């Protein structure tokens, strides 16, 4: 794959494009200072990022939207330069809740449309005010989902102009097939956002996605933030991997840059999260050459 400065985005099957590298915006709300996403998204736009991955359940979508609007207002970018991906949360799968959920995201962002809206997970929680409904014993309250019916409600949102492209997340091959084989399918999923990094390369799913014109977007491309509430901390940290470090030494890159480049070279879009100034710049240098603070697109 040619990764010259001109190649920044890859085509989606519906005619739109997705930038190969985006900024992940999930920061643990318990430990992330308020305003972090606002400042980091603004900095990222200055650095050259145009793709932002967010969600209603990250609880900072208002900050991401504010950052985008401020950078549009100061003339740095136009709305059409930005690619924002939002996500339909598990409590909104019943078809009548889909459009209100997307409208809530748009209201939070204070934007007229999102570029990509994806079903965050192929399973549902009980609808209601609680995003994480639980029984008294602490177990999640799941809910029946008809993925095809939810998809049809998403298709109506695209037809209404609230979203440019539709995709999914955490879908396996069988779940993708369910949508692709749906009678009367109007809009194909353009992307599938899944965990993907050198310790979890997803070769079979990637091949299936390629064959069906679905772009794979890799989350946790740096091996995640190693949050002890869901990561087994005994597992080896990806960024300390000896091979990645030694490849990095050879090419004067960090293990993080090697891990990102690994996916990008396979045509997998990467959305590394960082709320640290230097790392935001550093991670961007995988695809685009940077001179000081200015990255050439
Ligand atoms: P990640 O991007 O693999 O890793 C983020 C962690 O790496 C943070 O702790 C960050 O710390 C650190 N980091 C960033 N750049 C670094 C560098 N150059 N060197 C060393 N450490 C570095 O993990 P993630 O945040 O879980 O995944 C990325 C994004 O994917 C999320 O933000 C979210 O948008 C999306 N996501 C989606 C799903 C889904 O189900 N669809 C699930 C998980 C994540 P600092 O911030 O302190 O720099």
């Amino acid at each position: 794959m040619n990764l010259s400065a001109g190649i920044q985005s890859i085509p989606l099957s519906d005619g739109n494009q997705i930038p190969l590298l985006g900024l992940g915006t999930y920061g643990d709300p318990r430990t992330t200072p308020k305003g972090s996403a606002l400042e980091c998204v603004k900095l990222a736009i200055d650095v050259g990022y145009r793709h932002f991955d967010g969600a209603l359940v990250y609880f900072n979508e208002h900050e991401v939207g504010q950052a985008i609007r401020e950078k549009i207002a100061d003339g740095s970018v136009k709305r059409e330069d930005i690619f924002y991906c939002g996500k339909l949360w598990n409590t909104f799968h019943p078809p009548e809740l889909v459009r209100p959920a997307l409208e809530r995201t748009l209201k939070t962002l204070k934007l007229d449309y999102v570029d990509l809206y994806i079903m965050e997970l192929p399973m549902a929680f009980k609808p209601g005010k609680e995003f994480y409904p639980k029984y008294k014993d602490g177990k999640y309250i799941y809910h029946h989902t008809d993925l095809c019916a939810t998809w049809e409600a998403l298709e109506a949102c695209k037809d209404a102009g609230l979203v440019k492209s539709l995709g999914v997340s955490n879908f396996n091959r069988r779940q993708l097939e369910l949508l692709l084989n749906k009678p009367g399918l109007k809009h194909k999923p353009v992307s599938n956002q899944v965990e993907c990094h050198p310790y979890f390369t997803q070769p079979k799913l990637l091949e299936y996605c390629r064959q069906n014109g679905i772009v794979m977007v890799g989350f946790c491309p740096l091996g995640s933030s190693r949050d002890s509430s869901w990561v087994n901390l005994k597992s080896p940290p990806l960024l300390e991997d000896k091979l990645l470090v030694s490849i990095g030494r050879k090419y004067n890159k960090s293990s993080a840059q090697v891990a990102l480049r690994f996916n990008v070279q396979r045509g997998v879009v990467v959305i590394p999260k960082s709320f640290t100034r230097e790392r935001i710049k550093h991670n961007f240098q995988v695809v685009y050459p940077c001179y000081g603070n200015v990255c050439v697109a």
Side-chain angles (χ1 to χ4, degrees):
M1 186 179 208
N2 179 1
L3 286 175
S4 66
I7 310 285
Q8 310 151 36
S9 294
I10 50 177
L12 297 170
S13 66
D14 62 1
N16 295 321
Q17 303 239 328
I18 184 168
L20 258 172
L21 188 140
L23 185 76
T25 63
Y26 176 72
D28 184 340
R30 293 164 302 185
T31 52
T32 306
K34 287 206 175 6
S36 301
L38 171 62
E39 289 315 314
C40 291
V41 170
K42 285 200 289 185
L43 169 75
I45 291 175
D46 289 340
V47 167
Y49 286 78
R50 295 294 178 262
H51 172 180
F52 298 93
D53 183 79
L56 190 64
V57 288
Y58 295 175
F59 305 108
N60 60 8
E61 214 170 30
H62 57 292
E63 292 187 22
V64 177
Q66 185 182 339
I68 292 171
R69 284 182 285 106
E70 283 184 17
K71 295 312 289 181
I72 292 173
D74 77 8
S76 303
V77 283
K78 298 192 188 83
R79 173 64 187 91
E80 57 269 31
D81 299 330
I82 298 292
F83 185 98
Y84 180 79
C85 171
K87 305 190 184 84
L88 180 78
W89 181 239
N90 307 351
T91 51
F92 302 104
H93 278 210
E96 68 279 11
L97 300 184
V98 170
R99 182 167 174 157
L102 173 53
E103 284 171 339
R104 185 163 164 185
T105 271
L106 293 175
K107 202 172 159 200
T108 306
L109 292 164
K110 297 201 180 119
L111 296 176
D112 298 333
Y113 67 90
V114 291
D115 299 271
L116 177 62
Y117 197 55
I118 64 181
M119 223 188 284
E120 193 156 348
L121 283 150
M123 54 90 182
F125 285 156
K126 183 178 143 245
K129 283 201 176 133
E130 290 294 325
F131 284 154
Y132 294 90
K134 285 181 181 170
Y135 293 108
K136 282 198 182 115
D137 63 4
K139 289 193 175 138
Y140 287 118
I141 309 177
Y142 291 96
H143 194 73
H144 168 77
T145 183
D146 175 348
L147 295 177
C148 289
T150 306
W151 187 258
E152 284 170 7
L154 285 166
E155 289 180 323
C157 293
K158 177 169 155 82
D159 291 338
L162 303 180
V163 49
K164 301 267 182 212
S165 298
L166 295 174
V168 293
S169 179
N170 297 299
F171 271 47
N172 62 24
R173 176 182 175 146
R174 194 174 54 80
Q175 290 150 346
L176 288 172
E177 276 171 353
L178 201 67
L179 293 188
L180 294 175
N181 297 331
K182 188 186 88 62
L185 180 70
K186 194 164 182 198
H187 302 301
K188 270 177 62 173
V190 299
S191 63
N192 187 17
Q193 187 181 120
V194 292
E195 181 174 348
C196 191
H197 47 72
Y199 280 177
F200 193 46
T201 56
Q202 304 259 29
K204 284 189 195 162
L205 188 60
L206 179 57
E207 189 49 36
Y208 179 78
C209 286
R210 274 195 192 128
Q211 284 167 0
N212 287 279
I214 296 171
V215 169
M216 191 183 272
V217 177
F219 71 67
C220 299
L222 302 174
S224 90
S225 56
R226 296 180 66 79
D227 178 336
S228 61
S229 64
W230 56 277
V231 174
N232 177 357
L233 294 183
K234 285 186 187 148
S235 63
L238 176 73
L239 299 184
E240 291 171 21
D241 181 87
K242 283 195 179 127
L243 182 60
L244 292 185
V245 171
S246 75
I247 295 171
R249 243 183 237 130
K250 183 170 172 190
Y251 293 102
N252 200 19
K253 299 284 173 191
S254 67
S255 55
Q257 289 173 319
V258 176
L260 295 175
R261 181 80 183 213
F262 164 79
N263 260 339
V264 162
Q265 279 185 210
R266 304 192 304 154
V268 175
V269 172
V270 285
I271 46 170
K273 174 264 177 181
S274 179
F275 284 172
T276 309
R277 291 182 76 83
E278 286 314 313
R279 287 172 173 172
I280 290 172
K281 293 181 199 165
H282 181 83
N283 295 343
F284 193 71
Q285 288 165 12
V286 169
V287 187
Y288 307 79
C290 287
Y291 305 98
N293 203 18
V294 178
C295 296
V296 179

PDB file of all heavy atoms in Angstrom, residues 99-112:
ATOM      1  N   ARG A  99     -33.600   6.530  15.984  1.00  0.00           N
ATOM      2  CA  ARG A  99     -33.464   7.929  15.556  1.00  0.00           C
ATOM      3  C   ARG A  99     -33.343   8.883  16.756  1.00  0.00           C
ATOM      4  O   ARG A  99     -32.485   9.773  16.746  1.00  0.00           O
ATOM      5  CB  ARG A  99     -34.637   8.317  14.631  1.00  0.00           C
ATOM      6  CG  ARG A  99     -34.502   9.748  14.142  1.00  0.00           C
ATOM      7  CD  ARG A  99     -35.444  10.071  13.006  1.00  0.00           C
ATOM      8  NE  ARG A  99     -35.342  11.497  12.711  1.00  0.00           N
ATOM      9  CZ  ARG A  99     -35.659  12.044  11.565  1.00  0.00           C
ATOM     10  NH1 ARG A  99     -36.092  11.291  10.571  1.00  0.00           N
ATOM     11  NH2 ARG A  99     -35.558  13.343  11.382  1.00  0.00           N
ATOM     12  N   PRO A 100     -34.177   8.709  17.820  1.00  0.00           N
ATOM     13  CA  PRO A 100     -33.987   9.576  18.991  1.00  0.00           C
ATOM     14  C   PRO A 100     -32.578   9.479  19.583  1.00  0.00           C
ATOM     15  O   PRO A 100     -32.030  10.480  20.064  1.00  0.00           O
ATOM     16  CB  PRO A 100     -35.035   9.065  19.990  1.00  0.00           C
ATOM     17  CG  PRO A 100     -36.103   8.454  19.134  1.00  0.00           C
ATOM     18  CD  PRO A 100     -35.402   7.873  17.954  1.00  0.00           C
ATOM     19  N   ALA A 101     -31.964   8.283  19.528  1.00  0.00           N
ATOM     20  CA  ALA A 101     -30.602   8.145  20.065  1.00  0.00           C
ATOM     21  C   ALA A 101     -29.618   8.943  19.215  1.00  0.00           C
ATOM     22  O   ALA A 101     -28.750   9.662  19.740  1.00  0.00           O
ATOM     23  CB  ALA A 101     -30.192   6.670  20.096  1.00  0.00           C
ATOM     24  N   LEU A 102     -29.759   8.841  17.897  1.00  0.00           N
ATOM     25  CA  LEU A 102     -28.868   9.605  17.020  1.00  0.00           C
ATOM     26  C   LEU A 102     -29.108  11.105  17.195  1.00  0.00           C
ATOM     27  O   LEU A 102     -28.161  11.900  17.248  1.00  0.00           O
ATOM     28  CB  LEU A 102     -29.078   9.167  15.553  1.00  0.00           C
ATOM     29  CG  LEU A 102     -28.353   9.970  14.489  1.00  0.00           C
ATOM     30  CD1 LEU A 102     -26.850  10.082  14.758  1.00  0.00           C
ATOM     31  CD2 LEU A 102     -28.557   9.320  13.107  1.00  0.00           C
ATOM     32  N   GLU A 103     -30.382  11.484  17.338  1.00  0.00           N
ATOM     33  CA  GLU A 103     -30.685  12.913  17.531  1.00  0.00           C
ATOM     34  C   GLU A 103     -30.090  13.417  18.848  1.00  0.00           C
ATOM     35  O   GLU A 103     -29.652  14.560  18.935  1.00  0.00           O
ATOM     36  CB  GLU A 103     -32.202  13.142  17.479  1.00  0.00           C
ATOM     37  CG  GLU A 103     -32.719  13.076  16.041  1.00  0.00           C
ATOM     38  CD  GLU A 103     -34.240  13.083  15.914  1.00  0.00           C
ATOM     39  OE1 GLU A 103     -34.939  12.753  16.896  1.00  0.00           O
ATOM     40  OE2 GLU A 103     -34.725  13.385  14.805  1.00  0.00           O
ATOM     41  N   ARG A 104     -30.040  12.538  19.842  1.00  0.00           N
ATOM     42  CA  ARG A 104     -29.433  12.937  21.121  1.00  0.00           C
ATOM     43  C   ARG A 104     -27.932  13.194  20.944  1.00  0.00           C
ATOM     44  O   ARG A 104     -27.377  14.151  21.484  1.00  0.00           O
ATOM     45  CB  ARG A 104     -29.674  11.804  22.140  1.00  0.00           C
ATOM     46  CG  ARG A 104     -29.215  12.123  23.508  1.00  0.00           C
ATOM     47  CD  ARG A 104     -29.868  11.156  24.459  1.00  0.00           C
ATOM     48  NE  ARG A 104     -29.196  11.168  25.738  1.00  0.00           N
ATOM     49  CZ  ARG A 104     -29.488  10.356  26.731  1.00  0.00           C
ATOM     50  NH1 ARG A 104     -30.450   9.488  26.604  1.00  0.00           N
ATOM     51  NH2 ARG A 104     -28.834  10.424  27.874  1.00  0.00           N
ATOM     52  N   THR A 105     -27.287  12.329  20.155  1.00  0.00           N
ATOM     53  CA  THR A 105     -25.870  12.544  19.858  1.00  0.00           C
ATOM     54  C   THR A 105     -25.668  13.864  19.103  1.00  0.00           C
ATOM     55  O   THR A 105     -24.769  14.647  19.421  1.00  0.00           O
ATOM     56  CB  THR A 105     -25.318  11.333  19.058  1.00  0.00           C
ATOM     57  OG1 THR A 105     -24.851  10.361  19.990  1.00  0.00           O
ATOM     58  CG2 THR A 105     -24.182  11.685  18.137  1.00  0.00           C
ATOM     59  N   LEU A 106     -26.530  14.124  18.119  1.00  0.00           N
ATOM     60  CA  LEU A 106     -26.386  15.363  17.333  1.00  0.00           C
ATOM     61  C   LEU A 106     -26.603  16.591  18.224  1.00  0.00           C
ATOM     62  O   LEU A 106     -25.900  17.593  18.096  1.00  0.00           O
ATOM     63  CB  LEU A 106     -27.377  15.367  16.162  1.00  0.00           C
ATOM     64  CG  LEU A 106     -27.119  14.312  15.083  1.00  0.00           C
ATOM     65  CD1 LEU A 106     -28.228  14.324  14.029  1.00  0.00           C
ATOM     66  CD2 LEU A 106     -25.755  14.527  14.427  1.00  0.00           C
ATOM     67  N   LYS A 107     -27.564  16.468  19.156  1.00  0.00           N
ATOM     68  CA  LYS A 107     -27.839  17.590  20.067  1.00  0.00           C
ATOM     69  C   LYS A 107     -26.637  17.806  21.001  1.00  0.00           C
ATOM     70  O   LYS A 107     -26.264  18.930  21.325  1.00  0.00           O
ATOM     71  CB  LYS A 107     -29.102  17.246  20.878  1.00  0.00           C
ATOM     72  CG  LYS A 107     -29.786  18.443  21.449  1.00  0.00           C
ATOM     73  CD  LYS A 107     -31.126  18.049  22.056  1.00  0.00           C
ATOM     74  CE  LYS A 107     -31.539  19.124  23.053  1.00  0.00           C
ATOM     75  NZ  LYS A 107     -32.527  18.671  24.005  1.00  0.00           N
ATOM     76  N   THR A 108     -26.051  16.703  21.440  1.00  0.00           N
ATOM     77  CA  THR A 108     -24.894  16.787  22.341  1.00  0.00           C
ATOM     78  C   THR A 108     -23.700  17.405  21.610  1.00  0.00           C
ATOM     79  O   THR A 108     -22.992  18.260  22.147  1.00  0.00           O
ATOM     80  CB  THR A 108     -24.539  15.365  22.845  1.00  0.00           C
ATOM     81  OG1 THR A 108     -25.694  14.789  23.423  1.00  0.00           O
ATOM     82  CG2 THR A 108     -23.425  15.402  23.875  1.00  0.00           C
ATOM     83  N   LEU A 109     -23.510  16.965  20.379  1.00  0.00           N
ATOM     84  CA  LEU A 109     -22.395  17.491  19.571  1.00  0.00           C
ATOM     85  C   LEU A 109     -22.670  18.920  19.092  1.00  0.00           C
ATOM     86  O   LEU A 109     -21.746  19.671  18.795  1.00  0.00           O
ATOM     87  CB  LEU A 109     -22.186  16.630  18.326  1.00  0.00           C
ATOM     88  CG  LEU A 109     -21.661  15.203  18.478  1.00  0.00           C
ATOM     89  CD1 LEU A 109     -21.913  14.415  17.201  1.00  0.00           C
ATOM     90  CD2 LEU A 109     -20.160  15.214  18.809  1.00  0.00           C
ATOM     91  N   LYS A 110     -23.948  19.250  19.001  1.00  0.00           N
ATOM     92  CA  LYS A 110     -24.423  20.482  18.331  1.00  0.00           C
ATOM     93  C   LYS A 110     -23.933  20.508  16.884  1.00  0.00           C
ATOM     94  O   LYS A 110     -23.366  21.489  16.397  1.00  0.00           O
ATOM     95  CB  LYS A 110     -24.005  21.738  19.093  1.00  0.00           C
ATOM     96  CG  LYS A 110     -24.597  21.822  20.486  1.00  0.00           C
ATOM     97  CD  LYS A 110     -24.599  23.250  21.017  1.00  0.00           C
ATOM     98  CE  LYS A 110     -25.173  23.337  22.398  1.00  0.00           C
ATOM     99  NZ  LYS A 110     -24.300  23.825  23.433  1.00  0.00           N
ATOM    100  N   LEU A 111     -24.144  19.382  16.208  1.00  0.00           N
ATOM    101  CA  LEU A 111     -23.828  19.269  14.783  1.00  0.00           C
ATOM    102  C   LEU A 111     -25.085  18.777  14.065  1.00  0.00           C
ATOM    103  O   LEU A 111     -25.968  18.176  14.691  1.00  0.00           O
ATOM    104  CB  LEU A 111     -22.680  18.288  14.553  1.00  0.00           C
ATOM    105  CG  LEU A 111     -21.309  18.654  15.128  1.00  0.00           C
ATOM    106  CD1 LEU A 111     -20.312  17.536  14.888  1.00  0.00           C
ATOM    107  CD2 LEU A 111     -20.781  19.968  14.558  1.00  0.00           C
ATOM    108  N   ASP A 112     -25.145  19.013  12.754  1.00  0.00           N
ATOM    109  CA  ASP A 112     -26.339  18.636  11.980  1.00  0.00           C
ATOM    110  C   ASP A 112     -26.334  17.182  11.535  1.00  0.00           C
ATOM    111  O   ASP A 112     -27.371  16.615  11.223  1.00  0.00           O
ATOM    112  CB  ASP A 112     -26.441  19.489  10.696  1.00  0.00           C
ATOM    113  CG  ASP A 112     -26.586  20.950  11.019  1.00  0.00           C
ATOM    114  OD1 ASP A 112     -27.100  21.250  12.101  1.00  0.00           O
ATOM    115  OD2 ASP A 112     -26.165  21.781  10.186  1.00  0.00           O
TER     116      ASP A 112
END
